[in-house]
Amino acid sequence: MSTAQVSDGLVVVDERRGRTVHLNTTAATMLRALLAGGQDAAITVVCQRFGVTEDTARDDLSALITDLARRKLVRR
């Protein structure tokens, strides 16, 4: 898997399957923070950057992870 920054987010490339997934700015921020520091770090970053509650950030992060797992880009 590799990524490419684009003006409105991040493109995730799955070279093995020949697929790409576009993440909007919020999802890109979550993924970067998740990879850098784990779930708690990602939740903190999203709360601070986007002014949402911890519950909202946690739900959104869970939805992102579920979607990426469904696309076989991450394993749970």
Side-chain angles (χ1 to χ4, degrees):
M1 178 174 79
S2 61
T3 61
Q5 180 69 41
V6 293
S7 63
D8 60 344
L10 188 72
V11 173
V12 179
V13 181
D14 180 352
E15 294 93 356
R16 292 180 301 145
R17 291 181 179 84
R19 294 187 293 180
T20 61
V21 176
H22 177 264
L23 302 179
N24 66 22
T25 301
T26 305
T29 300
M30 278 193 256
L31 180 60
R32 283 190 199 100
L34 179 66
L35 294 173
Q39 289 190 17
D40 290 339
I43 290 165
T44 298
V45 167
V46 169
C47 288
Q48 291 172 349
R49 180 148 184 213
F50 299 104
V52 298
T53 66
E54 187 174 315
D55 286 340
T56 296
R58 189 175 310 284
D59 290 346
D60 289 350
L61 181 60
S62 178
L64 174 64
I65 293 169
T66 298
D67 183 54
L68 293 176
R70 181 182 58 80
R71 296 172 188 258
K72 296 183 177 23
L73 293 171
V74 298
R75 282 183 252 141
R76 287 183 153 233

